Amino acid sequence: MEKILKNQKSIMISSLNKDKEASISYAPFAMKENKIYIYISKTAQHYYNLLNHNKCSVMAIEDEKDSKSIFARERVSFNCEAKKLETVDESIFTLFDEVQGAQMMMVLKTMDFDMFELSLINGRLVKGFGKAFDIEIYDGEFKINQVTGIGHPSK
């Protein structure tokens, strides 16, 4: 899971639009203390989707060219609650500088971008065929249970 999150610079975001229809997009991200941060423009559809409906799902997925099988790309997804941050701790911007590049972040800070914090609720890790794991989060710690059937983790 850590490898997937560290090797990707962007995540897919599934959110609900004003008509509560599913919408998918992507955004560059940084992760700190089990929270995902996205810095997005007010012109992006998902900006207003997240403001109006704070539930979303995100996914980081292995690049196709690195996958052993297109049918079983390694990936991790999370259900999240999103909130727009009114003030942003400088450590978050420092993390974005490291992950996304300081020059790009300097440019984006002059534009209509805002920082959103995505709090992880639960998730799913897929490491290949027959290697799916439900992710639960308790007190900031990940608990991973292998899935042995549709929606049924092993004990």
Side-chain angles (χ1 to χ4, degrees):
M1 181 174 69
E2 288 178 19
K3 179 183 98 175
I4 296 167
L5 291 168
K6 287 184 182 191
N7 286 339
Q8 301 302 317
K9 291 186 175 189
S10 66
I11 53 173
M12 303 294 176
I13 305 168
S14 177
S15 59
L16 296 175
N17 67 20
K18 63 181 172 48
D19 298 320
K20 295 189 179 178
E21 298 169 327
S23 176
I24 191 152
S25 57
Y26 85 99
F29 79 103
M31 191 164 182
K32 181 180 179 185
E33 298 171 359
N34 298 337
K35 293 187 186 229
I36 293 173
Y37 295 89
I38 56 175
Y39 195 50
I40 55 178
S41 169
K42 290 179 179 144
T43 62
Q45 183 180 11
H46 52 258
Y47 182 99
Y48 294 99
N49 291 356
L50 295 175
L51 277 181
N52 295 321
H53 306 282
N54 72 333
K55 302 281 190 204
C56 66
S57 293
V58 299
M59 180 175 67
I61 187 166
E62 174 184 38
D63 194 304
E64 287 183 8
K65 69 178 174 34
D66 299 329
S67 177
K68 294 175 188 162
S69 170
I70 198 67
F71 291 98
R73 290 165 64 192
E74 291 187 7
R75 58 199 176 272
V76 63
S77 58
F78 293 102
N79 293 313
C80 305
E81 285 186 6
K83 78 174 175 182
K84 181 176 150 279
L85 298 179
E86 298 305 322
T87 58
V88 181
D89 186 286
E90 193 56 38
S91 67
I92 302 300
F93 280 118
T94 300
L95 189 56
F96 263 88
D97 287 349
E98 292 168 7
V99 174
Q100 305 297 343
Q103 284 185 316
M104 177 57 74
M105 292 306 298
M106 188 171 25
V107 171
L108 295 179
K109 286 180 184 178
T110 67
M111 300 173 75
D112 67 338
F113 281 64
D114 285 316
M115 188 73 69
F116 282 75
E117 178 183 82
L118 307 180
S119 297
L120 308 181
I121 299 170
N122 55 43
R124 172 71 58 103
L125 170 66
V126 177
K127 295 174 66 175
F129 289 112
K131 296 178 185 173
F133 302 85
D134 282 331
I135 303 168
E136 297 177 49
I137 302 155
Y138 296 105
D139 297 324
E141 298 291 322
F142 291 104
K143 182 179 178 192
I144 299 175
N145 297 304
Q146 187 164 10
V147 176
T148 57
I150 297 175
H152 300 288
S154 63
K155 302 269 178 193

